[in-house]
Amino acid sequence: MPPVTESDLYLLGVLLGLLVLSAFFSSSETGMMSLNRLTLNHNARIGNKSARRVKALLDRPDRLIGVILIGNNFVNILASAIATVLATHYFGEAGIAAATLGLTLLVLIFAEVTPKTLAVLHPERIAYPASWLLTPLLKLLYPLVWVVNAISNGLLRLFGVDTSTDGDQRLSRDELKTVVWESGHGIPKRRAMVTRILDLEEVAVEDIMVTRGEMFALDLDEPMDEILDDIRSSNHTRLPVHQGDANNILGILHLRSISRLLSADGDSAMTKERLHELLDEPYFIPEGTPLHTQLFNFQKHRERMALVVDEYGDLEGLVTIDDILEEIVGDYTTDHAQSASTDLYPQDDGSWLIDAATYVRDINKELTWTLPTDGPKTLNGLIVEALEMIPDHAVSLVIAGYRMEVLSIRDQRIRTARIWPAKKVEQDLQ
């Protein structure tokens, strides 16, 4: 074996330097492609210079990939040539195979797998510093990069690939919900609220409204004494006022307006005519209005309560801005009269007694169930739709894996039902 010369040591040092450069290019490519674009855009928007530089490189990914691959291939081929020269100098023709095998292992371990794994785990730590070198290198090699990209894009066009189309980086609502839920500690205790905001467009006003039968309203056909008693017993600050038929809405009474008059003049001074003068103009909205649209409409019209009507103008119920806000932040009012939990009664056998007028969405929310919500809004409607009739006696059925037993029927409406959770039903069947 010939002695080690100074030139051989020099070539060996160059070879090690080329392996380092190969690792740099490999990790840079993986780090750049693994960056979270949302985080990158945020960092660039708040003034992070490295993030801005990386974003500028990623705006033209073909050029970025071009300069990285040119550099990576150049150093790998040069390293292969130097390794072959060194191996043949010491081992003759047999050194060619040894150089190929040895350099392949070195490149695979130290210039590919290890740096790329590191880049996947910590893309920002790799991509941001790498941009300091890749940006001037791209400017230096731009003519070569342009030629390579032109030839590559030309070949792609021959196969019908449109290289001018940019990838759509916008997130759909479902993708954004996934981002929120996978954020971990990034959005602590607020992920459910954010996802509920995203779901507002899927929920309509009739899904959360107080139905016409559950509304607390004043009827001017009643004696004045009864009207005043209803006002005093009300837990609400705004009351719809009608005369006779509930569809004949005269206006909305704000209790703050009448309380001042009652405190100043007493009950005897209050008449139906004077009460009528205190009414505000009713605000009507069509059923089917998405919650996110109605939230903006409340803000636009400076209203806090709306009366929901169907396509024929018949009153269906009412919805308030508080109802929509509770869909976002959860229940926060102290009015328990409309709380779903007051209509749900747990039983010792694991079942629940439920008022059939309760909204299906409220049941799902309260018990974390998955009863279908794309049809009838109330439990009564859900059961009647499944039976395709109004039952006149106690019946049992299964809907979406939940066993239900009708317990009470009155006035052509199911009043109470017992429901077993889906998991409980599955266990019983086993």
Side-chain angles (χ1 to χ4, degrees), residues 7 34 47 53 71 73 116 236 278-279 330 430:
S7 61
S34 300
R53 196 162 32 250
N73 282 281
K116 285 188 174 182
H236 309 283
L278 298 174
L279 300 182
Q430 293 174 357

Side-chain angles (χ1 to χ4, degrees), residues 106-250:
L106 289 174
V107 170
L108 187 63
I109 296 173
F110 297 103
E112 290 292 335
V113 176
T114 302
K116 285 188 174 182
T117 301
L118 179 64
V120 168
L121 296 175
H122 305 285
E124 291 186 2
R125 296 182 183 180
I126 300 298
Y128 284 15
S131 65
W132 288 90
L133 181 59
L134 291 177
T135 298
L137 189 61
L138 177 59
K139 294 179 180 179
L140 178 65
L141 300 178
Y142 180 76
L144 180 59
V145 172
W146 185 88
V147 171
V148 171
N149 284 339
I151 296 174
S152 175
N153 292 338
L155 291 174
L156 289 174
R157 282 193 289 270
L158 287 177
F159 291 97
V161 179
D162 185 4
T163 59
S164 63
T165 302
D166 296 328
D168 190 356
Q169 298 297 322
R170 294 174 297 179
L171 295 177
S172 67
R173 186 182 69 255
D174 291 337
E175 291 170 336
L176 185 54
K177 287 168 63 176
T178 300
V179 170
V180 171
W181 278 109
E182 292 184 350
S183 62
H185 62 276
I187 314 178
K189 300 181 181 180
R190 295 294 181 267
R191 291 178 296 176
M193 185 185 300
V194 175
T195 55
R196 285 196 291 262
I197 292 174
L198 297 174
D199 285 336
L200 283 184
E201 64 181 81
E202 292 185 341
V203 184
V205 291
E206 66 264 26
D207 293 322
I208 67 168
M209 70 180 181
V210 178
T211 60
R212 174 174 168 176
E214 302 292 330
M215 282 175 47
F216 190 93
L218 301 178
D219 184 0
L220 285 189
D221 280 351
E222 294 181 353
M224 194 64 203
D225 290 342
E226 293 185 14
I227 293 176
L228 292 175
D229 289 340
D230 289 340
I231 292 175
R232 292 191 180 91
S233 63
S234 173
N235 294 319
H236 309 283
T237 57
R238 292 174 175 81
L239 298 176
V241 178
H242 62 90
Q243 190 159 16
D245 187 355
N247 284 311
N248 184 26
I249 298 293
L250 302 178

Side-chain angles (χ1 to χ4, degrees), residues 19-35 65 68-69 72-73 76 106-124 126-127:
L19 287 175
V20 172
L21 286 176
S22 179
F24 165 76
F25 285 116
S26 296
S27 62
S28 298
E29 177 186 5
T30 303
M32 290 284 184
M33 297 301 110
S34 300
L35 282 172
I65 295 297
I68 290 177
L69 293 182
N72 202 21
N73 282 281
N76 285 341
L106 289 174
V107 170
L108 187 63
I109 296 173
F110 297 103
E112 290 292 335
V113 176
T114 302
K116 285 188 174 182
T117 301
L118 179 64
V120 168
L121 296 175
H122 305 285
E124 291 186 2
I126 300 298

Side-chain angles (χ1 to χ4, degrees), residues 240-299:
V241 178
H242 62 90
Q243 190 159 16
D245 187 355
N247 284 311
N248 184 26
I249 298 293
L250 302 178
I252 305 297
L253 177 65
H254 198 303
L255 296 195
R256 184 167 50 189
S257 302
I258 194 172
S259 61
R260 294 172 181 170
L261 292 176
L262 291 177
S263 60
D265 302 333
D267 294 358
S268 59
M270 181 56 60
T271 62
K272 294 182 179 180
E273 290 74 16
R274 196 167 187 183
L275 181 63
H276 196 288
E277 295 173 356
L278 298 174
L279 300 182
D280 296 327
E281 191 73 21
Y283 173 45
F284 295 98
I285 61 172
E287 62 177 352
T289 305
L291 291 192
H292 73 291
T293 300
Q294 188 52 46
L295 186 60
F296 287 117
N297 288 340
F298 273 136
Q299 182 181 30

